[in-house]
Amino acid sequence: THAGSWYTDRPDQLDQQLTSWLAAAGPRVGAARAIVSPHAGYQYCGAVAGYAYKQIDPGSISRVILLGPSHHFSLRGCGLSTAAEFQTPLGNLRADQATTAELRATGQFEMVSLNRDEAEHSLEMQLPFLLAAMRPKSPRDFSIVPIMVGAIDPSVEAAYGAVLAPYLNDPATLFVVSSDFCHWGRRFEYTHYDKSAGRIWQSIERLDRQGMEAIETGRPDRFTQYLQQTGNTICGRHPIGVMMCAAARHGSGRFRFLNYAQSSKCNDFSDSSVSYAAGGLFVNA
């Protein structure tokens, strides 16, 4: 539903853009078990997202679990999609209905209605990139499990992390975590400014990098403490928290951020920006 606005709906043009962003990311650092990728319009975040998706080695992957925040409605926990297939300009992706049924059977997930599913951009924005990064595999060679994550507290993040940890431990499963970083400006009701960092945009970058460092520790409590102390408006903080809790139970691997950018450089309190970061969880790294 966001094709033609947040990203082009022309398959040839979209394919060219995605291919160029993946190429510009350089060589793969390693085969990531999970990635964090932004979900803004591709004109703003496509170059950053390319660094996350470049870390995917499609060889062994047959299932992709996506975690994205709910921007449009309140969720008590996490929600599963009712859709059997997901349309993109580059082809359709099929839902892993068996895994969806397994997760639903835990009693911890609700089902998201189709209209709410279609309105949410955080998961949709990952799908064309996923198709491009999984080549030469056909869309029929793997399936997806989109999970919408509500505004849940740390204990609930840990509970979902426990449910998802066995899937993260499966080499055939990739996790894609959808998140932008700091939303700064009066329109976001967040104007944190540490003058010792320099200009406003430099203060934002310092703030974001502190958050990235907290994630890289692999300790969910460190990330929670950082969020409580700074209030940073990382919209995918709960999906990130769930992934961190799953990884902590997994017991191996290291998360590493690879790229960062801002939609614009704020120099004045009348300005606004959104930050983007890309990284991956590398097992035995």
Side-chain angles (χ1 to χ4, degrees):
T1 56
H2 294 79
S5 54
W6 289 53
Y7 58 101
T8 180
D9 56 2
R10 289 177 49 191
D12 55 343
Q13 185 178 38
L14 180 59
D15 183 70
Q16 183 179 28
Q17 289 175 346
L18 296 172
T19 300
S20 66
W21 286 322
L22 287 166
R28 182 182 296 131
V29 171
R33 189 65 58 83
I35 63 169
V36 169
S37 177
H39 55 235
Y42 284 171
Q43 63 176 320
Y44 300 107
C45 76
V48 174
Y51 280 81
Y53 279 95
K54 190 60 175 280
Q55 311 315 313
I56 295 175
D57 181 357
S60 62
I61 297 171
S62 60
R63 174 174 56 193
V64 181
I65 295 178
L66 300 105
L67 300 171
S70 173
H71 288 86
H72 301 290
F73 75 103
S74 178
L75 265 174
R76 292 189 302 271
C78 292
L80 300 166
S81 177
T82 62
E85 201 163 16
F86 298 83
Q87 184 181 33
T88 86
L90 300 181
N92 293 358
L93 287 159
R94 61 185 176 91
D96 187 329
Q97 294 178 301
T99 301
T100 297
E102 286 176 3
L103 294 174
R104 189 176 185 183
T106 66
Q108 297 192 52
F109 294 81
E110 62 181 89
M111 301 306 292
V112 177
S113 66
L114 188 61
N115 65 326
R116 285 177 165 174
D117 200 348
E118 290 179 333
E120 180 55 58
H121 64 274
S122 70
L123 295 169
E124 178 186 344
M125 298 303 293
Q126 307 303 329
L127 302 185
F129 247 116
L130 181 61
L131 276 168
M134 286 293 288
R135 290 173 182 153
K137 281 195 170 179
S138 158
R140 291 292 158 188
D141 292 335
F142 64 98
S143 57
I144 66 172
V145 185
I147 300 176
M148 208 176 294
V149 182
I152 54 181
D153 65 36
S155 65
V156 180
E157 291 175 1
Y160 281 108
V163 172
L164 294 173
Y167 299 97
L168 186 62
N169 197 34
D170 176 12
T173 300
L174 169 76
F175 275 67
V176 173
V177 182
S178 182
S179 182
D180 294 334
F181 270 65
C182 185
H183 297 60
W184 193 94
R186 290 182 178 133
R187 69 189 184 102
F188 298 118
E189 299 181 351
Y190 187 75
T191 53
H192 168 88
Y193 179 29
D194 178 0
K195 292 184 179 179
S196 70
R199 298 192 174 190
I200 292 173
W201 66 267
Q202 292 170 311
S203 169
I204 295 169
E205 180 168 354
R206 175 188 284 182
L207 178 72
D208 280 330
R209 291 198 181 276
Q210 289 169 348
M212 292 153 67
E213 289 168 5
I215 295 167
E216 288 178 337
T217 67
R219 290 182 50 181
D221 61 321
R222 289 275 185 91
F223 186 50
T224 296
Q225 183 181 45
Y226 161 82
L227 292 168
Q228 291 171 342
Q229 290 175 344
T230 66
N232 193 0
T233 47
I234 300 173
C235 60
R237 56 194 176 276
H238 299 299
I240 291 172
V242 170
M243 181 272 292
M244 290 185 70
C245 289
R249 293 182 72 92
H250 183 292
S252 63
R254 174 175 175 263
F255 201 91
R256 177 181 172 189
F257 278 95
L258 303 168
N259 198 256
Y260 172 83
Q262 297 171 0
S263 61
S264 60
K265 293 191 183 303
C266 294
N267 291 300
D268 188 87
F269 278 91
S270 62
D271 296 334
S272 64
S273 72
V274 179
S275 306
Y276 315 115
L281 176 69
F282 302 97
V283 176
N284 299 321

